[in-house]
Amino acid sequence: MISAIGLRYARALAEVVLAHASEISPEAALQQIRAFAAAVEGAPDLHRALLRPAVNLSRKRAVIARLGEPMGLSQIVQNFLFVIVGHRRVGILPSVAEGLEEIFDEHFGFARADISTARTLDPAQVSSLEKQLENITGKKIRPRYSVEPSLLGGAVARIGSTVYDGSVKGYFEQLRRGLVSESVPAEKII
């Protein structure tokens, strides 16, 4: 889930990364933010130290620089992390990564699709489904698949706020609603 604050920071970083003279590709920036967020989440002591006001900001920056070297962090990402730590916002890094991915997808003409299927699809089915969604949206699809056996069959795709329901469960629900709306009260039958 992308928080409003995380999205604001993501927009700021995206603006710098997408600038013509940027030293880092969008993909690399996103990967570096994700890697640093994972490192912080995997080390609770580090997380606490980066949030703790008692720890001097220059020491926090030194820790980021020391961690950033083996991680290969670009200067842009490292400076961004300095700002995040300076504002004690380390906890929003996963949200920043999600927001950054969303911004880059939009910038490069991708539509993010959360696709639920009743079972795992074979490669031909995946290709066919993604082609159909690309035709509908007019954009390249960046899919995330999940399996939900309760769908019984078919698939449900969520792209932005639009839901495309091609599941058997959705079909039965639509059929049920149609039958209920056409039902005649028992008093009228007698």
Side-chain angles (χ1 to χ4, degrees):
M1 183 86 177
I2 303 170
S3 69
I5 294 170
L7 188 56
R8 191 172 350 149
Y9 279 93
R11 282 189 187 123
L13 179 57
E15 188 176 311
V16 173
V17 170
L18 293 171
H20 296 293
S22 179
E23 69 178 52
I24 185 171
S25 72
E27 296 82 12
L30 179 59
Q31 182 274 329
Q32 289 177 19
I33 292 292
R34 282 205 169 123
F36 191 83
V40 170
E41 280 189 28
D45 290 339
L46 173 63
H47 187 266
R48 281 190 296 277
L50 292 175
L51 283 174
R52 190 165 287 147
V55 177
N56 186 321
L57 184 57
S58 62
R59 292 191 74 188
K60 291 176 186 180
R61 286 181 172 200
V63 167
I64 291 171
R66 188 170 296 138
L67 285 173
E69 192 174 319
M71 294 176 84
L73 296 183
S74 73
Q75 192 60 51
I76 289 173
V77 170
Q78 192 168 320
N79 290 343
F80 176 76
L81 292 171
F82 290 162
V83 171
I84 290 282
V85 168
H87 290 111
R88 295 188 5 229
R89 300 274 191 199
V90 172
I92 67 165
L93 280 174
S95 181
V96 169
E98 282 293 310
L100 202 55
E101 182 179 21
E102 190 173 283
I103 291 165
F104 290 154
D105 282 351
E106 187 176 309
H107 179 79
F108 292 110
F110 285 94
R112 298 172 84 190
D114 292 315
I115 302 169
S116 301
T117 58
R119 61 180 175 78
T120 303
L121 302 178
D122 64 44
Q125 292 170 320
V126 167
S127 177
S128 174
L129 179 59
E130 289 176 14
K131 266 190 182 129
Q132 289 175 11
L133 292 172
E134 286 174 359
N135 289 337
I136 290 170
T137 63
K139 295 181 176 185
K140 293 179 183 177
I141 297 297
R142 190 165 324 260
R144 282 193 251 179
Y145 288 94
S146 63
V147 175
E148 290 185 34
S150 67
L151 295 176
L152 304 177
V156 175
R158 288 173 187 79
I159 301 174
S161 61
T162 305
V163 176
Y164 302 96
D165 191 346
S167 69
V168 173
K169 181 179 178 181
Y171 174 76
F172 285 149
E173 180 59 27
Q174 186 178 9
L175 184 63
R176 184 193 66 78
R177 277 186 261 145
L179 290 172
V180 168
S181 68
E182 292 178 12
S183 66
V184 178
E187 307 84 54
K188 297 225 179 195
I189 296 176
I190 298 177

